[in-house]
Amino acid sequence: MEHDIAIYLTKAVESLLTAETESINGRYNSCANRCYYACFQAAITALLIEGIRPAGQWNHQFVHAQFVGVLINQRKRYDTELRRVLSDNQSLRDKADYRPELVTATQASRALRRTR
């Protein structure tokens, strides 16, 4: 279990560092993508620390529900200000990856702030 925690934490940090680099270089769609995954991987780390695992693979719905529902709402492990971070960053990532729209510098900057 500790090995998994270290791996997901490493992935989260790497994703955040990549998001910062992408933003600096004006690649805002890539920045939005990596911001979401930094938060997703950090949430997995938090769930593992609390002993929460899915029956199968980590999926987005499970991670969102368990992080917000259990770790924030029930166990009060994290500030309520974090409730929307995963969903807000996922919405921006969906725009970046799946819609014929571009993420702006302002949107990327806000995503980075949320992610940090």
Side-chain angles (χ1 to χ4, degrees), residues 1-105:
M1 168 107 81
E2 288 189 22
H3 182 256
D4 290 356
I5 291 168
I7 288 172
Y8 280 103
L9 183 57
T10 298
K11 288 182 178 198
V13 170
E14 185 177 303
S15 291
L16 175 58
L17 293 173
T18 302
E20 290 173 341
T21 302
E22 293 300 276
S23 179
I24 289 166
N25 288 295
R27 293 187 287 263
Y28 305 122
N29 296 291
S30 295
C31 173
N33 176 285
R34 297 327 304 162
C35 281
Y36 172 71
Y37 280 104
C39 292
F40 181 73
Q41 293 152 343
I44 291 172
T45 302
L47 292 169
L48 286 169
I49 289 169
E50 291 291 317
I52 299 171
R53 289 181 165 272
Q57 288 187 319
W58 294 102
N59 70 61
H60 301 271
Q61 185 177 359
F62 177 85
V63 171
H64 289 228
Q66 295 298 306
F67 183 75
V68 175
V70 176
L71 298 189
I72 293 176
N73 295 341
Q74 291 175 9
R75 297 185 186 177
K76 315 280 190 234
R77 296 284 194 256
Y78 297 93
D79 195 290
T80 57
E81 289 181 13
L82 295 177
R83 277 190 185 127
R84 294 193 46 92
V85 171
L86 279 168
S87 60
D88 287 351
N89 279 3
Q90 186 176 35
S91 293
L92 190 61
R93 184 204 63 138
D94 289 348
K95 176 181 181 175
D97 291 348
Y98 303 118
R99 295 201 301 265
E101 302 174 57
L102 297 173
V103 171
T104 67

Side-chain angles (χ1 to χ4, degrees), residues 16 19-20 23 31 35 107-116:
L16 175 58
E20 290 173 341
S23 179
C31 173
C35 281
Q107 290 170 320
S109 175
R110 288 179 183 151
L112 269 172
R113 196 168 33 254
R114 282 192 301 268
T115 301
R116 289 184 188 115

